[in-house]
Amino acid sequence: MNDVRLDTNFVDYLIVASYFVVVLGVGFAAKRYIKSSLDYFLSGRSLPAWITGLAFISANLGATEVLGMAANGAQYGVATVNYYWLGAIPAMVFLGLVMMPFYYGSKVRSVPEYLLLRFDKQSHVFNSVTFAVATILIAGVNLFALALVLKLLLGWPIIVGIIVAAVVVAAYITLGGLSSAIYNEVLQFFVILAALIPITVIGLFEVGGWGGLQDRVRESKLGEAGLHALEGTNPGDVTNPIGATWIGLVFGLGFVLAFSYWTTNFAEVQRALSAKDLSAAERTPLIGAIPKLFLPFVMIVPGMIALVVIPGLGSDQPNMEYNNAIPLLMNEYLPNGMLGIALTGLMASFMAGVAANVSAFNTVVTTDLVEPYLKKGMPDEWYIRFGRIATIGGIFVSIFTALIASTYDNLMNYLQALFSIFNAPLFATFIIGMFWKRMTSAAAIWGLIAGTVTAAGLFIGYKAGWIGFGSDLDQSMWGAGAAFVVDAVVTVVVSLMTKPKPVDQLQGLVYGMANVDESVKRPPHWWESPKLLGFSVLAGAAILTLVFW
Amino acid sequence: MSDTPNRAERAANLFDLRRIIGGLFVAWGVLLIVLGLLDVGDVDNAMNINLYSGIGMLVLGLLFLLWAFTRPLGRELRESEQASGSARSDGEGTRRPGDTGS
């Protein structure tokens, strides 16, 4: 069936509508009922640690992730698990166990602010600007993905969908505000699972279980290679569908891309920074890593099912892009009712994705750029008004960045390319800055510029056809790796030529000088040990990788 | 310690995320079960997805509601505030909903 137009009826719309009524209703009610900002964040502060961990993983489990990982599952098969067990878990454990003491201990409120304290204004400004650009590009990805769903749902042309979605999101941010976003994030986690689990179960049932799916994948264009995580990745003999060597996978994806995303991404780190004490902050990404271990089973497996049950997926035929794997499966398997749940899950998380990025954009532009540097000392109302204008402006620009995203037929690859440009150099600067007291402020800014230019240059060269890579993903892995190495080399060289900050200004910011957390109230239970949790999750990832080798 | 919740507690309960998740999933679960039993929906599957998903969502929703009502957020907060008032520097949230005893 080539028609992806979903057979929605009033029941599905009823479910979608009920969700937005609840979320917006909570926003409205919260505005009237809640007086202080303490009240406002009440539910967040009092929720148990495992919910904080869920919020951490929810921030990553956007609909782009859902559509993109299913697309990768259809395009690369089992090898996509490398995004999880190799490309996320170790980085999340590293963030929790190694980096959190400096983030949390230095009491910074944002990732760019750490650069300001550790180095100087220049790298703060540079990072704030690149961060603003990155958020707008990512908001565009979400906007485009939302338009894609609207196209499937209502048959609207993409451009109309993008503009309508932009207007709806603008209304949603101004009406619902932050409170809707908080509720949305945790809610969406459960709604998306409620959509993905039935699709996976029925799909596996129809293709004859996991064994049946394996047989069918062997017969598909992926072949046997589509059933292995790391087989066929030896240099010179690459048969893995990703088209990358294990060096590229381990260093590019597992180390640079993953570590830079998880350890310097504002939206992620922010969750952990709001924890109540250091132990809880350390445990936030570690608890989030537990669902991350098992998500491949409901995200990648549906992609593989789509590959074998939907003829022509990934071909040039209209509507057969890999990105459409999940919507196509929804159409194939879900009856009215469940269809509405699945649509709600997708729409809610796109909205949250756009909203989160646009509000991060307006926060950084207003508080990290305009307030300290461009327009100092204006009254509070002026900044609030400027923030509103920045929000509208950000959404407007997102419409155009959505059009850039629409040229990619696998959104996850586009996102990885963006991370390779914006996060990979930042990670090199962070990691060296945290572990090497000698690193200077001049090194930070020059390293960041050199790394960003390198990754952007490789990306443009690949897009223009000057430089060849195995696949889009292969390009972003090498782009990230090159950006990391160039940033690191420039950082070391410039550091040795310039004068470092006096050591007494680095208290709480560098390795060996972490601030001691004095807020510990009681001896922790043995199961609250971040180390135990971290190493258990790592072991789980290693075992799963071996099973699917 | 009276059991009449004050304004802040009522607000906490009203916006307790567990109640919102629970309520929404119970409503959706019931709706899906009804759809599944009536066998509406035009997709021909070997399995009644609406029915089974509906049951799953109903159970999840009820678990959230059970959790939220056995350990109301408002009371938890008041208790932890009182505990921090008497025991020095106990801070907020040593006992959070979901912590089992101890």
Side-chain angles (χ1 to χ4, degrees):
Chain A
M1 187 164 64
N2 254 356
D3 185 18
V4 271
R5 177 80 174 271
L6 300 173
D7 268 325
T8 44
N9 68 14
F10 73 96
V11 179
D12 304 311
Y13 291 115
L14 182 73
I15 290 172
V16 173
S18 66
Y19 178 83
F20 286 102
V21 166
V22 167
V23 171
L24 289 177
V26 167
F28 272 126
K31 249 184 200 163
R32 290 186 40 163
Y33 213 103
I34 287 176
K35 299 285 186 280
S36 75
S37 62
L38 183 78
D39 275 353
Y40 195 65
F41 290 107
L42 208 80
S43 66
R45 196 186 67 187
S46 48
L47 285 169
W50 68 266
I51 290 268
T52 334
L54 278 189
F56 184 86
I57 200 69
S58 289
N60 168 253
L61 188 71
T64 44
E65 172 95 358
V66 175
L67 290 194
M69 282 305 169
N72 280 340
Q75 194 171 356
Y76 305 131
V78 169
T80 311
V81 299
N82 291 320
Y83 277 105
Y84 291 80
W85 303 328
L86 176 72
I89 304 286
M92 294 167 90
V93 172
F94 185 82
L95 171 65
L97 293 185
V98 181
M99 292 181 75
M100 204 43 76
F102 306 108
Y103 272 135
Y104 194 85
S106 63
K107 302 282 177 213
V108 293
R109 287 160 302 168
S110 74
V111 171
E113 199 178 339
Y114 178 87
L115 287 177
L116 179 64
L117 291 184
R118 173 66 181 82
F119 305 112
D120 61 2
K121 286 175 181 171
Q122 283 180 317
S123 37
H124 180 225
V125 171
F126 182 82
N127 180 231
S128 301
V129 171
T130 55
F131 180 80
V133 173
T135 50
I136 281 301
L137 288 171
I138 295 170
V141 175
N142 282 284
L143 208 49
F144 166 65
L146 181 53
L148 206 63
V149 170
L150 287 177
K151 177 186 164 193
L152 301 178
L153 167 62
L154 303 168
W156 294 357
I158 285 288
I159 182 68
V160 176
I162 289 175
I163 291 168
V164 170
V167 171
V168 173
V169 169
Y172 164 91
I173 294 180
T174 30
L175 286 180
L178 199 56
S179 58
S180 302
I182 295 167
Y183 285 92
N184 214 336
E185 218 158 60
V186 181
L187 246 176
Q188 125 204 353
F189 178 82
F190 290 101
V191 179
I192 282 200
L193 282 189
L196 287 177
I197 292 173
I199 292 181
T200 313
V201 171
I202 185 75
L204 277 179
F205 188 77
E206 300 261 326
V207 298
W210 175 241
L213 180 62
Q214 283 179 308
D215 291 339
R216 298 276 297 271
V217 169
R218 280 193 194 96
E219 294 159 17
S220 74
K221 60 184 166 186
L222 269 179
E224 178 69 27
L227 294 170
H228 297 282
L230 285 170
E231 212 170 83
T233 53
N234 284 325
D237 180 30
V238 175
T239 54
N240 200 276
I242 293 183
T245 64
W246 62 267
I247 304 171
L249 282 173
V250 170
F251 182 69
L253 181 67
F255 181 58
V256 180
L257 269 181
F259 277 63
S260 53
Y261 170 78
W262 290 101
T263 60
T264 64
N265 187 298
F266 183 73
E268 294 294 343
V269 175
Q270 196 81 340
R271 318 279 137 182
L273 288 183
S274 58
K276 71 183 171 72
D277 59 33
L278 179 59
S279 166
E282 288 180 348
R283 277 181 293 142
T284 297
L286 303 177
I287 291 170
I290 297 171
K292 195 79 182 166
L293 272 182
F294 301 106
L295 281 174
F297 298 114
V298 292
M299 314 243 308
I300 300 172
V301 171
M304 294 168 65
I305 294 170
L307 175 74
V308 300
V309 301
I310 294 162
L313 183 70
S315 68
D316 295 337
Q317 296 165 45
N319 294 329
M320 284 292 135
E321 296 93 351
Y322 286 118
N323 284 329
N324 289 349
I326 289 282
L328 284 164
L329 279 185
M330 283 162 56
N331 207 24
E332 179 89 14
Y333 289 137
L334 294 187
N336 293 115
M338 259 321 290
L339 198 56
I341 303 281
L343 275 172
T344 306
L346 287 179
M347 289 176 70
S349 52
F350 285 130
M351 303 276 256
V354 185
N357 278 291
V358 168
S359 36
F361 169 81
N362 114 42
T363 308
V364 164
V365 168
T366 311
T367 63
D368 280 296
L369 289 171
V370 172
E371 195 175 336
Y373 302 116
L374 296 176
K375 276 266 186 196
K376 276 185 203 163
M378 299 296 279
D380 237 19
E381 301 83 59
W382 191 88
Y383 293 117
I384 293 172
R385 208 172 60 235
F386 182 86
R388 289 218 183 90
I389 297 166
T391 303
I392 302 297
I395 291 176
F396 186 72
V397 180
S398 304
I399 293 176
F400 295 95
T401 58
L403 295 175
I404 303 176
S406 69
T407 62
Y408 258 77
D409 65 356
N410 184 327
L411 288 179
M412 209 60 216
N413 285 340
Y414 177 57
L415 279 179
Q416 295 287 351
L418 293 181
F419 293 146
S420 78
I421 296 171
F422 294 108
N423 291 86
L426 191 57
F427 172 59
T429 300
F430 262 88
I431 197 75
I432 298 175
M434 275 186 181
F435 286 93
W436 195 35
K437 294 192 192 83
R438 177 78 179 72
M439 179 173 171
T440 65
S441 305
I445 183 69
W446 287 112
L448 280 175
I449 291 174
T452 308
V453 167
T454 304
L458 282 176
F459 176 69
I460 293 166
Y462 171 67
K463 282 274 126 190
W466 302 326
I467 314 166
F469 288 100
S471 64
D472 289 348
L473 178 59
D474 196 36
Q475 188 278 324
S476 27
M477 289 192 291
W478 284 103
F484 179 84
V485 171
V486 168
D487 183 313
V489 169
V490 170
T491 296
V492 171
V493 170
V494 175
S495 282
L496 294 176
M497 290 167 14
T498 46
K499 203 167 151 295
K501 265 186 149 179
V503 170
D504 58 336
Q505 290 182 16
L506 301 179
Q507 180 58 41
L509 297 169
V510 294
Y511 190 73
M513 297 175 73
N515 286 335
V516 180
D517 183 21
E518 285 149 1
S519 62
V520 181
K521 290 130 198 155
R522 63 187 159 86
H525 300 289
W526 64 269
W527 71 82
E528 288 177 329
S529 156
K531 282 198 178 63
L532 176 75
L533 195 56
F535 285 105
S536 310
V537 176
L538 275 183
I543 292 168
L544 284 169
T545 303
L546 286 176
V547 169
F548 288 91
W549 189 269
Chain B
M1 193 190 291
S2 81
D3 263 350
T4 346
N6 60 27
R7 198 198 129 268
E9 285 180 45
R10 280 204 311 275
N13 287 338
L14 184 61
F15 299 111
D16 185 343
L17 186 56
R18 297 169 299 172
R19 291 192 186 186
I20 296 169
I21 295 177
L24 205 55
F25 269 66
V26 165
W28 284 349
V30 170
L31 178 66
L32 288 185
I33 290 174
V34 170
L35 288 175
L37 292 177
L38 296 176
D39 203 21
V40 288
D42 47 28
V43 183
D44 203 20
N45 283 320
M47 161 192 300
N48 192 333
I49 298 191
N50 273 345
L51 181 63
Y52 293 121
S53 313
I55 293 171
M57 289 172 73
L58 179 64
V59 169
L60 181 72
L62 288 176
L63 285 177
F64 265 107
L65 287 183
L66 185 73
W67 180 22
F69 282 101
T70 47
R71 305 184 69 84
L73 192 55
R75 203 175 64 207
E76 296 282 324
L77 285 165
R78 187 178 59 198
E79 281 170 10
S80 73
E81 265 159 34
Q82 281 166 350
S84 68
S86 51
R88 186 200 59 87
S89 82
D90 198 13
E92 69 273 7
T94 16
R95 277 169 60 88
R96 291 154 294 151
D99 275 0
T100 42
S102 78

